[in-house]
Amino acid sequence: MPKASEEQRLDLINAQQRLRAEGRSAVVVVTGVDGSGRHRLVNALTHGLDTRGVKVHAWSREDAPGSDRPPLWKYWQGLPAQGQVAVYLDGWYAEPLDRALRGASPELSAIRQLEAQLIGHGSVLVKLWVERPLAEARRDLRKRLKREARDPTLSEQRVLAAEDGAQDQLDALRAHSEGWTMLSGKAPEVAADQAREALIAAMSAPTPPVPVPGHHRNRGAQALAALDMSAALSKKASNKQLPEAQAELARRIWAARARGQSTVVVLEGADAAGKGGVIRRLTDPLDARLFQVVPVAAPSDEERARPYLWRFWRHLPKAGQVLIFDRSWYGRVLVERVEAFCRRDEWQRAFDEINDFEAQLTDHGAVVRKFWLHISPEEQLKRFEDRAETPHKRHKLTDEDWRNREKWDDYRVAVEDAVARTHSAKAPWTLVPANCKRHARLAVIQTLIDALAPD
Amino acid sequence: MPKASEEQRLDLINAQQRLRAEGRSAVVVVTGVDGSGRHRLVNALTHGLDTRGVKVHAWSREDAPGSDRPPLWKYWQGLPAQGQVAVYLDGWYAEPLDRALRGASPELSAIRQLEAQLIGHGSVLVKLWVERPLAEARRDLRKRLKREARDPTLSEQRVLAAEDGAQDQLDALRAHSEGWTMLSGKAPEVAADQAREALIAAMSAPTPPVPVPGHHRNRGAQALAALDMSAALSKKASNKQLPEAQAELARRIWAARARGQSTVVVLEGADAAGKGGVIRRLTDPLDARLFQVVPVAAPSDEERARPYLWRFWRHLPKAGQVLIFDRSWYGRVLVERVEAFCRRDEWQRAFDEINDFEAQLTDHGAVVRKFWLHISPEEQLKRFEDRAETPHKRHKLTDEDWRNREKWDDYRVAVEDAVARTHSAKAPWTLVPANCKRHARLAVIQTLIDALAPD
């Protein structure tokens, strides 16, 4: 294996220590076709690093976890914490590479988003492409398989059976994804040396300024003002309609499960808007194994150490489940924006990040529905007072809740923005007048019934 | 759904807040056969709890994650952090229950260990069994399936097709596993009420004293003293034998992968014993997707919040991988024991916990090999001095390393104990004289070759 020089090792160790001191992480992607020498390069690259801070993610295509989740899920799982280095063999280029080998052009938008989020989080991203003409890679691969007396893996089979147009598609893939350091697969020693230098340089560079997206405040958006806040449902009507709707929803959820289709429900709303009550009516008629409720509170240290959406990616269940978020990733553009818990550029970037995240869910077949339960300030005050007076509800009421009331208008602007910028045909918002709890509960259930196919 | 009374809700909330304040967690297992009303009970149980602190784990048998890992892996993944309540539908009783329904008797030792570790960690464990005669459960189940117009799930099929002896086996299962609160499946309201009372009582009870296992110091153990510390390998011999052994190991690892067999390698040794060098020689000839190195350092807050072994369970890959631990769960009975980082009862219990953990790995088909790289104090001193003088090695040497030297004899006793109490035919220790690095590296590789079938 090509070893690092004494000087390089010292540079690597120093760069790694600086990374740690700055609380940043590094992500290294090593790709190229099978037979180009990627594995040797990965080994060479980690030589000289303090291995306690390094994790290599190298699945073969057939072993990669989570094929029953959106494709990028498995890469999100492995994102490094602060001070750590994650080396991905192929990583999120595995699928585009496979497509290229089959002569097809790749879909890169989700990948670009992931890389942008890494950089936005302050991570060091190093992309290494080990270049080897397909014909030569094939020849070496055949030799290796013979020597190791084994069958080719799935990805090796793809290289051996690569289509005629594959080389062109590989070149196109590289050209359309940015920031590659090109290494020669013919000269492993040189490639290893260059790879280490690239890593040292990237880890030693100052944190680049984060690009701030242009912000278009939707001043015209008045979706909330247009709501009919007098919408209400009588107790009698609710007693009849709610159980019927619940039963119908349960039937459709069983049917979705049989199809292997997931449902992702996002519940947002001001304090005391009635999210808990809605969740209870949603879940009461459901078999406990059909759904999961994810209450979103303060992040753990493992969560804080990674790009924002990591804490949501990690909860994604296998296909066929109902996942209900009691507050959600919209916290970034609601509470975190209003309370300045994150930087301005962070919440401004979040709209695109969220749209991309939800598109990955729906592209994978999930039904995504987002609800804003809207109450008036007067109704909220009434509910707060009720909470203060009811012993078993008192824990729900905090000083923060009272403080949040003072920012009612800021939240209103944030909600209008969020809805305007993240509403889409496949992941639509439903704004629910929620001064009447019975009305709100039925409205949410009815919307979900309409979203799910009857069988 | 049977609702909690105002008074009960207040009690639940208070108990949950106390749990949080004490930094403890609660684990609730709800079991019984399908058709007994478990789902309704789970819903009723969570009613009244602050849902932000509750997670329900309810997989159907066919959806349960990780069938390519030891059976208990999935339950370990879901263990709650401090202040949290985890509700498991069936949980680790799912498999024993299925066995009982097929008329077979269950294997409970791993389950007992898991529960003991939860209690040892200070968690509240509540076990609820919803009792319903099989004949009645079957009848209700058929009705429900008809109403919901769907096919039975796998576990429902098992109930419908239960063997004649099933009821007896269910009774035996309950009798042989301890601490059940029995609830009547015929009276859902009463059952829900009793379940909530049981939870309140358990969460309100003072932390029970942790049972301390009798400790048998192996004063006679002199395995280390018996080692031939002069064992050495010439450079010439190593240059010939090491590459051959590496190639043979790679061949056997490919073969193990084809069989879907995992290999778990534990490397322990004093500071500067040469663990890193051994790992490099193990992994250099391997394709990066065949192995994972897990360096074990200080636990994160998510790890500290759960029973000790959680941080190792979470790393278990799918079957067919080589997993190399650079330090390991033996930290509990080595550094944590010697430095008093854990309580005496904690490291004393750890021997059984470790034996059980490793037995679950080997029962699932994994090859487990544990190595202690043994160097003399004089050799260590020499290596420390070398590290101090070599710029790129200096980061490896800390003040702690020098301090640890003063406790050489304590570590020696701890190692002898660990080896004596956790050596087994399926998960054996190999004590490797490591004053000569070349000898140690080849010895480890040779041991692994012998452990793996040739094809």
Side-chain angles (χ1 to χ4, degrees):
Chain A
M1 192 212 47
K3 281 195 184 178
S5 69
E6 296 289 297
E7 194 195 333
Q8 238 180 6
R9 294 184 68 167
L10 188 59
D11 287 347
L12 275 170
I13 291 292
N14 285 340
Q16 208 178 350
Q17 278 169 347
R18 205 158 37 234
L19 193 78
R20 231 172 247 156
E22 290 173 358
R24 300 172 70 197
S25 60
V27 173
V28 183
V29 178
V30 179
T31 198
V33 295
D34 274 85
S36 64
R38 284 133 63 244
H39 295 107
R40 196 168 35 188
L41 188 85
V42 167
N43 283 351
L45 194 58
T46 57
H47 181 65
L49 285 170
D50 177 359
T51 53
R52 269 157 213 283
V54 181
K55 180 147 188 192
V56 176
H57 299 276
W59 308 283
S60 59
R61 304 292 192 278
E62 54 272 44
D63 280 350
S67 60
D68 37 16
R69 294 181 174 87
L72 293 191
W73 177 81
K74 50 185 170 292
Y75 308 115
W76 273 93
Q77 296 304 303
L79 291 188
Q82 291 156 339
Q84 303 283 308
V85 179
V87 180
Y88 286 89
L89 185 81
D90 294 340
W92 39 95
Y93 288 94
E95 289 85 2
L97 215 70
D98 282 349
R99 282 181 60 83
L101 288 171
R102 289 196 304 268
S105 60
E107 171 46 63
L108 294 172
S109 65
I111 288 181
R112 286 206 189 96
Q113 259 296 338
L114 172 55
E115 294 182 353
Q117 288 178 45
L118 284 171
I119 291 167
H121 181 68
S123 293
V124 172
L125 176 62
V126 180
K127 296 163 69 177
L128 306 171
W129 187 298
V130 189
E131 171 69 354
R132 196 87 205 269
L134 259 177
E136 294 177 21
R138 276 205 205 100
R139 202 191 51 212
D140 277 15
L141 201 49
R142 287 205 191 89
K143 266 194 229 163
R144 176 145 61 93
L145 290 169
K146 203 170 161 193
R147 191 176 64 238
E148 288 172 354
R150 62 175 176 88
D151 294 329
T153 62
L154 218 64
S155 59
E156 288 164 347
Q157 287 170 29
R158 294 223 177 93
V159 172
L160 294 175
E163 300 287 329
D164 278 350
Q167 187 68 58
D168 289 346
Q169 288 295 350
L170 285 171
D171 295 343
L173 167 60
R174 203 176 53 219
H176 293 138
S177 51
E178 284 169 6
W180 292 102
T181 297
M182 298 302 299
L183 306 170
S184 165
K186 283 186 206 168
E189 300 274 345
V190 179
D193 191 68
Q194 289 173 340
R196 284 188 291 252
E197 285 303 320
L199 184 55
I200 292 166
M203 291 202 295
S204 306
T207 318
V210 169
V212 178
H215 179 51
H216 310 280
R217 171 82 71 85
N218 299 282
R219 289 181 195 283
Q222 290 292 332
L224 293 178
L227 283 181
D228 173 12
M229 293 304 289
S230 69
L233 188 70
S234 72
K235 194 163 184 179
K236 193 177 160 202
S238 177
N239 282 347
K240 182 178 181 312
Q241 294 173 34
L242 185 68
E244 286 173 5
Q246 285 178 315
E248 179 60 24
L249 181 62
R251 265 191 295 275
R252 295 199 180 203
I253 284 172
W254 274 110
R257 179 195 176 74
R259 292 192 302 272
Q261 183 172 42
S262 298
T263 307
V264 176
V265 180
V266 169
L267 281 166
E268 293 282 355
D271 299 316
K275 296 186 293 297
V278 166
I279 291 175
R280 188 147 290 285
R281 270 61 180 194
L282 276 179
T283 57
D284 264 356
L286 295 181
D287 192 301
R289 69 197 137 183
L290 289 177
F291 68 90
Q292 252 183 70
V293 177
V294 181
V296 174
S300 73
D301 65 349
E302 293 196 21
E303 291 171 340
R304 251 185 299 263
R306 294 174 172 89
Y308 179 69
L309 290 176
W310 186 77
R311 51 192 294 225
F312 305 104
W313 274 101
R314 72 191 299 209
H315 286 297
L316 291 192
K318 288 185 175 188
Q321 283 257 352
V322 178
L323 194 58
I324 302 169
F325 285 92
D326 181 358
R327 300 195 189 274
S328 69
W329 42 93
Y330 285 97
R332 192 68 153 189
V333 294
L334 298 175
V335 58
E336 293 195 28
R337 168 184 176 177
V338 172
E339 307 289 342
F341 290 159
C342 67
R343 295 191 315 266
R344 187 177 173 81
D345 64 282
E346 287 177 324
W347 66 257
Q348 291 192 342
R349 274 200 314 275
F351 296 112
D352 285 347
E353 296 174 1
I354 287 171
N355 284 330
D356 168 73
F357 175 51
E358 293 177 356
Q360 291 187 59
L361 297 176
T362 56
D363 285 352
H364 195 249
V367 169
V368 176
R369 287 298 180 272
K370 306 173 294 197
F371 298 91
W372 174 262
L373 303 185
H374 195 54
I375 53 173
S376 64
E378 299 74 28
E379 177 66 22
Q380 188 189 47
L381 184 62
K382 227 180 77 194
R383 293 187 187 176
F384 277 9
E385 284 165 355
D386 175 53
R387 285 185 174 182
E389 284 160 21
T390 312
H392 76 260
K393 288 185 179 170
R394 221 168 273 155
H395 74 282
K396 287 186 171 186
L397 192 61
T398 64
D399 291 348
E400 209 186 313
D401 293 337
W402 291 104
R403 273 198 305 276
N404 287 346
R405 272 179 67 76
E406 294 164 18
K407 301 189 176 163
W408 193 272
D409 287 336
D410 295 337
Y411 274 101
R412 194 180 173 96
V413 169
V415 172
E416 292 277 11
D417 261 11
V419 169
R421 301 196 55 183
T422 63
H423 181 80
S424 67
K426 282 194 154 182
W429 276 100
T430 304
L431 307 183
V432 182
N435 278 351
C436 167
K437 290 180 181 177
R438 287 187 294 265
H439 168 80
R441 290 163 185 172
L442 189 63
V444 170
I445 291 176
Q446 197 56 56
T447 303
L448 289 173
I449 290 174
D450 294 342
L452 289 164
D455 45 39
Chain B
M1 192 212 49
K3 280 194 184 179
S5 68
E6 296 289 296
E7 193 194 333
Q8 237 180 6
R9 294 184 70 169
L10 188 59
D11 287 347
L12 275 170
I13 291 291
N14 285 340
Q16 209 178 349
Q17 278 170 346
R18 206 158 36 234
L19 193 78
R20 230 171 247 157
E22 290 174 357
R24 301 171 70 197
S25 60
V27 173
V28 183
V29 178
V30 178
T31 198
V33 294
D34 273 86
S36 64
R38 285 132 65 242
H39 295 107
R40 196 167 36 188
L41 188 84
V42 167
N43 283 352
L45 193 58
T46 57
H47 182 66
L49 285 170
D50 176 359
T51 53
R52 268 155 214 284
V54 181
K55 180 148 187 193
V56 176
H57 298 275
W59 308 283
S60 60
R61 305 291 191 277
E62 54 273 42
D63 280 350
S67 60
D68 37 17
R69 294 179 173 88
L72 293 191
W73 177 81
K74 51 185 169 291
Y75 308 115
W76 273 93
Q77 296 304 302
L79 291 187
Q82 292 156 339
Q84 303 283 308
V85 180
V87 179
Y88 286 89
L89 185 82
D90 294 340
W92 38 95
Y93 288 94
E95 289 84 3
L97 214 69
D98 282 349
R99 282 182 60 83
L101 287 171
R102 289 197 304 268
S105 59
E107 171 47 63
L108 295 172
S109 65
I111 288 181
R112 286 206 188 96
Q113 259 296 337
L114 172 55
E115 294 182 352
Q117 288 177 46
L118 283 171
I119 292 167
H121 182 67
S123 294
V124 172
L125 176 62
V126 180
K127 296 163 70 178
L128 306 171
W129 188 298
V130 189
E131 172 68 354
R132 196 87 205 268
L134 258 177
E136 294 177 21
R138 275 204 206 102
R139 201 191 52 211
D140 276 15
L141 201 49
R142 286 204 192 91
K143 265 194 232 164
R144 175 144 62 93
L145 291 170
K146 204 170 160 193
R147 190 175 65 238
E148 289 171 354
R150 63 175 177 87
D151 294 329
T153 62
L154 218 66
S155 59
E156 288 164 346
Q157 287 170 29
R158 294 224 176 91
V159 172
L160 294 175
E163 300 286 330
D164 279 349
Q167 187 68 59
D168 289 346
Q169 288 295 350
L170 285 171
D171 295 343
L173 167 60
R174 203 176 53 219
H176 292 139
S177 51
E178 285 169 6
W180 292 102
T181 297
M182 299 302 300
L183 306 170
S184 165
K186 282 186 209 168
E189 300 275 345
V190 179
D193 191 69
Q194 289 174 340
R196 285 188 289 251
E197 285 302 321
L199 184 55
I200 292 166
M203 292 203 295
S204 307
T207 318
V210 169
V212 178
H215 178 52
H216 310 280
R217 171 82 72 85
N218 299 282
R219 289 179 194 284
Q222 290 293 330
L224 293 178
L227 283 182
D228 173 12
M229 293 304 288
S230 69
L233 187 70
S234 72
K235 194 164 184 178
K236 194 178 158 199
S238 177
N239 283 347
K240 182 178 181 312
Q241 293 173 34
L242 185 68
E244 286 173 4
Q246 285 177 314
E248 179 60 23
L249 181 61
R251 265 191 295 275
R252 296 199 180 204
I253 284 172
W254 274 110
R257 178 194 177 73
R259 291 193 303 271
Q261 183 172 42
S262 298
T263 307
V264 177
V265 180
V266 169
L267 281 167
E268 293 282 356
D271 299 317
K275 295 186 293 296
V278 166
I279 291 174
R280 190 146 288 284
R281 270 61 180 193
L282 277 179
T283 57
D284 264 356
L286 295 181
D287 191 301
R289 69 197 137 185
L290 289 176
F291 67 90
Q292 252 183 71
V293 177
V294 181
V296 174
S300 73
D301 66 349
E302 293 196 21
E303 291 171 341
R304 251 186 297 263
R306 294 175 172 87
Y308 179 69
L309 290 176
W310 186 77
R311 51 192 295 225
F312 305 104
W313 274 102
R314 72 191 299 209
H315 286 297
L316 291 193
K318 288 186 174 187
Q321 283 257 353
V322 178
L323 194 57
I324 302 169
F325 285 92
D326 180 359
R327 301 196 189 275
S328 69
W329 42 93
Y330 285 97
R332 192 68 153 189
V333 294
L334 298 174
V335 58
E336 293 195 28
R337 167 183 176 178
V338 171
E339 306 290 342
F341 291 158
C342 67
R343 296 192 314 267
R344 187 178 173 80
D345 64 282
E346 288 177 323
W347 65 257
Q348 291 192 342
R349 274 201 313 275
F351 296 112
D352 285 346
E353 296 174 2
I354 287 171
N355 284 330
D356 167 73
F357 175 51
E358 293 177 356
Q360 290 187 60
L361 296 176
T362 56
D363 285 352
H364 194 250
V367 169
V368 176
R369 288 298 181 272
K370 306 173 295 196
F371 298 92
W372 175 261
L373 303 185
H374 195 55
I375 53 173
S376 64
E378 299 74 27
E379 177 65 23
Q380 188 188 47
L381 184 61
K382 227 180 78 194
R383 293 186 187 177
F384 277 9
E385 285 165 354
D386 175 53
R387 285 184 173 183
E389 284 160 20
T390 312
H392 76 259
K393 288 184 179 170
R394 221 168 273 154
H395 74 281
K396 287 186 171 185
L397 193 61
T398 64
D399 291 348
E400 209 186 311
D401 293 337
W402 291 105
R403 274 198 304 276
N404 287 346
R405 272 181 67 77
E406 293 164 18
K407 300 188 176 164
W408 194 272
D409 287 336
D410 294 337
Y411 274 102
R412 195 182 173 94
V413 169
V415 173
E416 292 276 11
D417 261 12
V419 170
R421 301 196 54 184
T422 63
H423 181 80
S424 67
K426 283 195 153 183
W429 276 100
T430 305
L431 307 182
V432 182
N435 279 351
C436 167
K437 289 180 181 177
R438 287 187 294 265
H439 168 80
R441 291 163 185 173
L442 189 63
V444 170
I445 291 176
Q446 197 55 57
T447 303
L448 289 173
I449 290 174
D450 294 342
L452 289 164
D455 45 39

